Amino acid sequence: MSKLRSLTALAGAATLTFALAACGGGATPEKAAAGGEVGPDQICPDGTLTMGVEPFEDPKNLIPVYETLGKALGEELGCEVDVQISDTYVAEILAMQNGKLDIGQFGPLGYVFAQKQAGATPLASFAGEDGKVSSYTGGIWVPEDSPIKTVEDLKGTTLALSESGSTSGDAVPRKALIDAGIEKDVKTEYAGGHTEALLALVNGKVDAAEINSQTLASATAEGQFDESAFRQVWESEPILNDPIAAGPNMTPEVSQAVQDALLNLPAESVAEIGEYLDFTPPAGKPALVAVTDEDYQPVTDLAEALDLTTDDL
């Protein structure tokens, strides 16, 4: 198996890119914190709230959709929201640890380590049509004419994974290999991202690839993937969608105000994000719902089962 990249080696990547001025000057203190007592001066003492987003998709695709979210959140809080797309999963954790992020959207596994490494506290995640936290699944796909029918059949083959630190693109499929007793008999290669893993399969560079339901939906919609030419041989249990978490420097009062604002966002502010994270926001209900550490306990258990530490990211 490919050696996991170390946290130390990636320390230089902590500077995030693609900062967006996401809120204009029309926000009013009356709208701050969805009507709460904590105002913009407390929430954004420097005039800006900084939000990080993990690179689960090509940044050029993420920038415009998160600009919409940032603008809506800024209007609720009464101050500017600066949205930044991280270079890597680790970079976002380090940025929050180093006080460069006020809040961040992390992948589920990334959140587990952000909580341990940077003291992150979960605030909210994206709601599905039923008004509950939305979820997605990990998967392993092969060409339609492949002799591979099950996970066990992957023995002696090459499997493309996303990148270290990804929940559905790394930890979940690797646990499936371990459970099948073939983890040492499969050559795994980190492709550099979910889309890259999918394209490695499409271009015939590997025998199989991890493709989660989110990437499947977006790649199919964009014409990058013809589902009829491939076959899924394994699917994970549902994984709760990404949490948005507060950094350690936020007071409980400010965290509550930001959470209230997130829970007050309209569905249209996250609709485009849903196209990438495979959820449809509910009509007439909050676009995000509150989450806690307990909601992500299964991912914590997964990290412990794989004996992962932040050095493994």
Side-chain angles (χ1 to χ4, degrees):
M1 178 169 292
S2 302
K3 184 177 180 180
L4 295 174
R5 291 170 289 179
S6 72
L7 188 66
T8 303
L10 288 170
T15 300
L16 306 186
T17 57
F18 303 109
L20 300 172
C23 177
T28 62
E30 289 74 21
K31 293 197 69 175
E37 296 181 0
V38 178
D41 289 344
Q42 291 76 43
I43 298 169
C44 310
D46 297 323
T48 301
L49 183 83
T50 304
M51 175 180 176
V53 179
E54 91 276 10
F56 62 85
E57 177 64 50
D58 189 327
K60 74 175 186 294
N61 295 327
L62 295 181
I63 290 169
V65 300
Y66 278 94
E67 186 173 23
T68 299
L69 171 62
K71 181 177 180 181
L73 180 59
E75 289 173 349
E76 288 293 327
L77 294 173
C79 60
E80 183 176 302
V81 174
D82 179 26
V83 180
Q84 304 179 351
I85 310 301
S86 174
D87 290 326
T88 67
Y89 291 87
V90 175
E92 186 182 13
I93 296 171
L94 290 172
M96 180 168 281
Q97 180 183 5
N98 294 331
K100 296 180 180 179
L101 293 179
D102 298 308
I103 61 175
Q105 178 187 320
F106 296 92
L109 184 61
Y111 164 70
V112 168
F113 289 111
Q115 191 276 331
K116 293 180 179 180
Q117 180 89 8
T121 302
L123 300 177
S125 187
F126 303 97
E129 290 184 281
D130 60 0
K132 299 178 181 180
V133 182
S134 59
S135 63
Y136 63 105
T137 57
I140 295 176
W141 287 71
V142 299
E144 175 59 36
D145 60 359
S146 170
I148 300 170
K149 306 293 183 183
T150 66
V151 172
E152 289 75 11
D153 293 337
L154 289 168
K155 184 175 181 179
T157 67
T158 301
L159 170 67
L161 299 177
S162 171
E163 60 182 313
S164 59
S166 171
T167 311
S168 62
D170 182 23
V172 170
R174 288 204 293 116
K175 182 62 163 57
L177 298 182
I178 291 171
D179 290 345
I182 61 170
E183 70 276 14
K184 295 181 180 179
D185 301 310
V186 178
K187 181 181 179 182
T188 58
E189 298 180 353
Y190 288 116
H194 292 289
T195 300
E196 288 81 1
L198 176 147
L199 292 176
L201 179 64
V202 170
N203 294 327
K205 295 181 178 180
V206 292
D207 301 303
E210 73 80 15
I211 303 176
N212 68 22
S213 60
Q214 299 169 334
T215 304
L216 176 66
S218 59
T220 301
E222 294 169 4
Q224 293 180 313
F225 191 73
D226 178 5
E227 192 171 340
S228 67
F230 299 89
R231 178 166 37 83
Q232 184 169 245
V233 298
W234 173 83
E235 184 177 29
S236 76
E237 293 295 321
I239 305 164
L240 289 189
N241 240 321
D242 298 359
I244 296 175
N249 295 329
M250 273 194 175
T251 65
E253 294 78 14
V254 171
S255 292
Q256 184 63 59
V258 174
Q259 183 182 52
D260 290 345
L262 288 167
L263 301 183
N264 203 45
L265 293 181
E268 55 267 25
S269 68
V270 302
E272 290 182 284
I273 297 174
E275 296 178 9
Y276 290 99
L277 294 183
D278 194 25
F279 71 87
T280 300
K285 296 181 180 179
L288 291 96
V289 291
V291 291
T292 66
D293 277 329
E294 187 175 333
D295 292 317
Y296 294 92
Q297 187 61 45
V299 186
T300 300
D301 294 341
L302 173 64
E304 292 177 353
L306 292 174
D307 197 26
L308 297 178
T309 70
T310 48
D311 288 337
D312 294 314
L313 292 182

